[in-house]
Amino acid sequence: MLRKAIAGCAVHQPWRMIASRSSTTASSAVDSILLRSLRDHYQEVAKMTPPPKVSPPSPFTIVKGALESSGPVLMRSYGHEEINLYVMRLAQHYDDDDVIDQLFLHVDVSKPGQKNSLQFLCGLYPDALGIHSVSMRPKLQSDGFLAVPSKYSGPVFGDLDERMRDEFHSYIEERGINSHLFPFLQAWLYVKENRNLMRWFRSVGQFVKGA
């Protein structure tokens, strides 16, 4: 009886079964095209020549596992202070045929026994460093992530008088925060961004395949 019912549906409403098969076939074709594109782009990124290996300026050292996390990239000690640096690409523009990067640098200066740390948000260029803001914020969490402040953290940096702004620049320059960091951080970001892109192509491909 069930077979007769199915057969009857196929006779009287054949378009439903045909449409289902057509939809499945089209979906499979679309998936295959997307998977091929993901694979091709993955291989293209994998073949890219990385920039020459650059070491961070002494005495900064690379934080273990930095390429796989969103935590600090570099750290150093300065007397009894601990300094951690975070970085991301802020902008990229062109001057004639040259690509010029502007990096966004977050500097965290902490001291033992103090709940807050002094934090600087800076723009880093190949030949200069500019401070965007200075604030007092809770110390780094144990996982390396920055805590969101719950209280007033400081004035707009541009509202400070020129002398104080210059003194803050001298403060971080004394601790090695300057344009000499740019070559390493630029190369490090290239490697990190390529790894993230390859990981994205791979994970999307695995999802589409249902793996």
Side-chain angles (χ1 to χ4, degrees), residues 51 87-95 98-104 123-128 182-190 193:
V87 67
M88 64 179 289
R89 197 178 305 283
L90 182 60
Q92 192 174 68
H93 59 278
Y94 297 84
D95 182 10
D98 296 327
V99 179
I100 300 176
D101 279 329
Q102 179 184 355
L103 306 182
F104 187 69
L124 181 62
Y125 305 85
D127 57 355
F182 186 90
F184 168 79
L185 292 175
Q186 182 187 46
W188 185 88
L189 274 176
Y190 178 92
E193 289 168 352

Side-chain angles (χ1 to χ4, degrees), residues 114-138:
Q114 295 198 22
K115 295 181 179 180
N116 292 328
S117 61
L118 186 59
Q119 298 181 15
F120 297 80
L121 299 182
C122 307
L124 181 62
Y125 305 85
D127 57 355
L129 179 141
I131 298 175
H132 295 310
S133 70
V134 181
S135 60
M136 292 296 299
R137 301 192 178 206

Side-chain angles (χ1 to χ4, degrees), residues 1-14:
M1 179 66 73
L2 181 59
R3 290 183 180 179
K4 289 182 179 180
I6 294 174
C9 288
V11 170
H12 296 292
Q13 297 177 326

Side-chain angles (χ1 to χ4, degrees), residues 136-197:
M136 292 296 299
R137 301 192 178 206
K139 276 188 177 180
L140 290 174
Q141 300 175 10
S142 57
D143 56 9
F145 288 95
L146 297 168
V148 177
S150 58
K151 300 179 180 179
Y152 174 74
S153 56
V156 175
F157 188 71
D159 290 346
L160 300 174
D161 64 56
E162 184 177 358
R163 179 178 176 182
M164 181 169 286
R165 294 199 302 268
D166 289 343
E167 289 168 350
F168 272 122
H169 275 96
S170 297
Y171 178 89
I172 60 172
E173 287 172 3
E174 176 67 21
R175 287 155 176 77
I177 314 299
N178 54 47
S179 61
H180 295 306
L181 292 163
F182 186 90
F184 168 79
L185 292 175
Q186 182 187 46
W188 185 88
L189 274 176
Y190 178 92
V191 174
K192 184 178 179 67
E193 289 168 352
N194 271 29
R195 285 194 181 189
N196 285 341
L197 188 56

